[in-house]
Amino acid sequence: MNQSNTVTIPLMTEARYQRERQRRNSECQELWRVLDRVMDPEIPALSLWDMGVLQDVESCEDRVLVTITPTYSGCPAMDQMRDDIEDALYRHGVARVQVKTRLAPAWTTDWMTDKGRDQLRAFGIAAPDDAPEHAVDDETPESQVKCPYCRSDNTTRVSEFGSTACKALFQCQDCLEAFDYFKKI
Ligand SMILES: [Zn+2]
């Protein structure tokens, strides 16, 4: 099936809109920018914000409270994320930092920013929205995940699991590059 004639208009989902609005309305703009330099331990090309992990930054009395939602519960990178957030804020002169983990609602690829999706592709990983909608529920989303290198959708799935469980391994039939696809969850 050739989908190249389909026009897709990217729309920001409600969840993403709420997240952006929360940041925009926050009184801690400077601290959000400090945390923009904290990268996701598993995909160092993306900041925790662009990954959709960083949820809130609040300044409460004597401390800064940071709320994060790991990409999946029991995420082994949790401790490192906490350390990196604390380090960044301490270096900025914040005296006390508390990192709170929020597991509900669960993290969704929906929360990844547009910039994050572009960075993912630049890093050689197909973004969650590089697969056509119908393939997501399909048992065999064998193809049509757009290649992050040449944007061809003439691709085949090599393995259900890529470098981590949340990714699948694909190969492009046009440029022959193998790439991970970040599954939509
Ligand atoms: Zn390609």
Side-chain angles (χ1 to χ4, degrees), residues 61-72:
E61 295 167 16
D62 62 334
R63 79 190 69 184
V64 169
L65 181 62
V66 178
T67 307
I68 57 172
T69 301
T71 50
Y72 53 99

Side-chain angles (χ1 to χ4, degrees), residues 121-183:
R121 293 175 189 122
F123 196 61
I125 300 174
D129 46 354
D130 286 340
E133 210 49 54
H134 68 85
V136 176
D137 303 317
D138 195 330
E139 284 293 295
T140 53
E142 295 293 350
S143 62
Q144 296 179 336
V145 169
K146 277 200 177 68
C147 169
Y149 298 102
C150 71
R151 306 305 288 155
S152 163
D153 57 10
N154 181 18
T155 59
T156 47
R157 194 176 64 176
V158 177
S159 160
E160 192 183 341
F161 298 106
S163 56
T164 64
C166 60
K167 302 190 200 87
L169 184 63
F170 278 75
Q171 185 168 29
C172 178
Q173 300 308 308
D174 285 335
C175 74
L176 302 179
E177 289 284 351
F179 62 90
D180 272 339
Y181 161 59
F182 203 110
K183 296 175 195 168

